[in-house]
Amino acid sequence: MDGSMIAEPRRFSVPISNRFGSGEMSVLEFGPTDRPVDLVFLHANGFNAYTYRGLLTVLGQGLRIWAPDLRGHGQTTLPTVVKGRRNWHDHRDDLIALLDKVEAPSVMVCGHSIGGTTALLAAEKLQSRIRQLLLLDPVIWPPLTTAAFGVPVLSRIPTQVPIVKSTLRRRDVFEARDQAFASWQGRGAFKGWPDEVLRDYLTGGLLPADDGFKLACTPAWEASNYSAQAHNPWRALRRCSGPITILKAQAGSLCAVTPRPGVDVRTVKGGGHLFPMTHANVVIEAVHELV
């Protein structure tokens, strides 16, 4: 994908109100507006819709796409309450509310990581509006681990894992976007990313602050998403009747699902958990095949 040829998506806000609070969900729109929405795309934890601008622009050459910033990410202003949070039902209910605004009988929903799990949880409740799920290495732990996270006395286990602790220590204020770019280019989770994708992440993920720029997704909220694991994607998987396709990372996958009736599971060769950033063409090809 040639970054110089990528058009700017349209941004608008959708009012969301549910038991988790009220606010505005910021949505990027790609593709033609003279057709119903074909695809709703959900980003991974800590990122934002703009991070995926390159691959969504390619898909937008023929499809109309809505890509929201999830609660606590990007330009979405829905409230974030960390204390007492145990699951991703807030993200699920936000997606259900957003789909209610889509003027189409049904849509394909594609989600990466937490976005994929959120899509699956929403499909359990709203199957008639989702005709196809494409899940990009969704976070689905083995069944026994999932069951343990659902037990209140064990629910604090995820708060002790290294990624939660390191996230809480993450720097979240920068003097300039270029400073953040230099800090992360080729390092950690961003290793192997094209420079254009990293810049897109920073465009959507940094907000102006008094002393420069701050992360739109705070370390506390990102860590909360890692530690709030008392939802049940396995139950949702059993109850969903529509076709489901899962693309799993070859290395470091967070998805324990194996092929089963109605669920097609494919491995992305050479891809890690963030393969949509490094292997975007795999996602593009899968969407074109399934839409």
Side-chain angles (χ1 to χ4, degrees), residues 68-113:
D69 289 333
L70 298 181
R71 181 183 294 255
H73 297 75
Q75 296 187 27
T76 287
T77 61
L78 290 163
T80 54
V81 179
V82 171
K83 185 176 181 180
R85 185 169 181 253
R86 298 189 60 235
N87 53 52
W88 295 347
H89 292 169
D90 43 10
H91 293 307
R92 176 198 68 187
D93 289 3
D94 293 343
L95 175 57
I96 290 173
L98 179 66
L99 290 174
D100 190 52
K101 310 289 185 180
V102 175
E103 294 181 354
S106 63
V107 296
M108 176 179 179
V109 180
C110 177
H112 178 206
S113 191

Side-chain angles (χ1 to χ4, degrees), residues 8 11 48 50-51 53 74-75 177 196-208 213 216:
E8 189 68 17
R11 186 180 290 276
N48 54 80
Y50 205 90
T51 308
R53 181 178 66 119
Q75 296 187 27
R177 294 184 188 276
E196 187 66 24
V197 179
L198 177 56
R199 292 193 185 280
D200 284 343
Y201 159 65
L202 295 173
T203 297
L206 290 178
L207 300 177
F213 293 88

Side-chain angles (χ1 to χ4, degrees), residues 85-216:
R85 185 169 181 253
R86 298 189 60 235
N87 53 52
W88 295 347
H89 292 169
D90 43 10
H91 293 307
R92 176 198 68 187
D93 289 3
D94 293 343
L95 175 57
I96 290 173
L98 179 66
L99 290 174
D100 190 52
K101 310 289 185 180
V102 175
E103 294 181 354
S106 63
V107 296
M108 176 179 179
V109 180
C110 177
H112 178 206
S113 191
I114 189 176
T117 310
T118 295
L120 179 61
L121 296 173
E124 178 188 9
K125 301 289 185 180
L126 202 68
Q127 294 192 45
S128 62
R129 298 300 308 279
I130 300 176
R131 66 172 176 262
Q132 170 78 53
L133 285 174
L134 174 59
L135 311 181
L136 312 177
D137 212 51
V139 182
I140 303 178
W141 304 107
L144 289 179
T145 304
T146 300
F149 291 157
V151 177
V153 71
L154 300 177
S155 63
R156 288 187 55 80
I157 291 176
T159 66
Q160 306 305 311
V161 300
I163 193 170
V164 172
K165 295 181 177 180
S166 63
T167 298
L168 290 172
R169 295 192 300 266
R170 179 173 299 153
R171 178 179 182 178
D172 62 345
V173 176
F174 297 88
E175 295 177 4
R177 294 184 188 276
D178 286 346
Q179 183 186 46
F181 181 86
S183 297
W184 290 331
Q185 184 184 28
R187 298 187 177 98
F190 305 102
K191 186 176 182 180
W193 283 34
D195 286 351
E196 187 66 24
V197 179
L198 177 56
R199 292 193 185 280
D200 284 343
Y201 159 65
L202 295 173
T203 297
L206 290 178
L207 300 177
D210 292 340
D211 45 0
F213 293 88
K214 64 179 180 179
L215 287 177

